[in-house]
Amino acid sequence: MQGRPRQFDKDEALEAAMRVFWDRGFHGATCGELLSEMGINAGSMYAAFGDKESLFAQAMRLYVDEVTTRTGDILSKPGSPLQNVRDLVGVWRQKFTEPGNRGCLICLALVNGEGADCEAVCIARSARDSLTKRLEQCFREAGEQGELPEGLDPLGAALFFANMLQGLSVMARNGAKPRDLRAVVDTSLRLLD
């Protein structure tokens, strides 16, 4: 005997859950808020997504997939690897200075230590490490093409920009002025001149 078919769009519900976790964090997001935003009842949530921690992991995976695709598209463009890094950092500059910006969900999960061993934080750590490796690859390619400023270490530069992203995320989340965020990005980009 089959159960009743779901009466909601699972992708839309997961997107709604992601927004709640992004706004409130794992611990700050109540089940009531999640259910209300997702437009489902507790039984449907557990049947479709499992418990709150499992839902958080699925929401994190959705966010990481979206961000990784956009980042990969920018860093993989033909032409100058160094310009690709500049373009990515320019996207960060624009994104974090938009009114009401919530920061980066990956960075926020890492900074808040949202259940240090939970699956969502492991997904976030993996995304951070992948970004760092991809940036390092771009910096190495830039060095091979003679674009890298003298003495700039590819790994050090990759770690610097990955950490700058985390700092921007925290600043944006805490209401930093757009001009201050732009100043951080613009100063960082001078390292690549």
Side-chain angles (χ1 to χ4, degrees):
M1 182 173 175
Q2 286 185 315
R4 290 186 341 195
R6 284 195 187 107
Q7 298 298 314
F8 66 94
D9 183 305
K10 188 175 177 183
D11 293 335
E12 287 178 11
L14 185 57
E15 182 92 25
M18 180 185 74
R19 288 190 304 269
V20 173
F21 286 126
W22 200 353
D23 285 339
R24 311 275 295 145
F26 175 74
H27 295 295
T30 67
C31 283
E33 287 173 312
L34 287 163
L35 295 172
S36 174
E37 287 298 314
M38 294 168 76
I40 61 176
N41 62 36
S44 294
M45 184 186 94
Y46 286 106
F49 302 104
D51 62 12
K52 182 181 170 186
E53 190 171 303
S54 177
L55 177 61
F56 184 42
Q58 291 172 63
M60 181 63 70
R61 196 169 287 111
L62 174 65
Y63 182 86
V64 166
D65 288 348
E66 290 174 2
V67 168
T68 301
T69 298
R70 286 194 309 267
T71 299
D73 289 347
I74 294 168
L75 293 179
S76 299
K77 290 186 305 188
S80 165
L82 200 57
Q83 186 58 51
N84 291 348
V85 172
R86 285 187 182 105
D87 291 347
L88 178 63
V89 175
V91 168
W92 296 345
R93 182 185 196 269
Q94 178 185 353
K95 204 77 169 142
F96 288 122
T97 56
E98 290 173 352
N101 187 276
R102 299 177 283 205
C104 168
L105 181 59
I106 296 165
C107 296
L108 297 171
L110 294 171
V111 169
N112 293 332
E114 305 272 23
D117 295 324
C118 82
E119 185 181 358
V121 173
C122 292
I123 293 166
R125 281 187 194 126
S126 178
R128 175 202 57 205
D129 294 346
S130 293
L131 172 65
T132 303
K133 285 179 187 168
R134 188 65 185 95
L135 287 169
E136 181 184 10
Q137 180 184 350
C138 283
F139 285 122
R140 286 195 189 288
E141 290 171 6
E144 290 165 5
Q145 294 181 21
E147 296 184 321
L148 205 61
E150 185 81 26
L152 190 62
D153 171 60
L155 176 59
L159 289 165
F160 173 82
F161 280 96
N163 280 284
M164 189 261 294
L165 169 63
Q166 287 188 331
L168 284 174
S169 179
V170 172
M171 288 175 69
R173 179 71 175 213
N174 290 307
K177 293 179 176 145
R179 71 165 191 254
D180 295 341
L181 295 165
R182 284 191 291 270
V184 170
V185 172
D186 294 346
T187 302
S188 300
L189 285 172
R190 286 191 196 101
L191 293 174
L192 305 180
D193 291 337

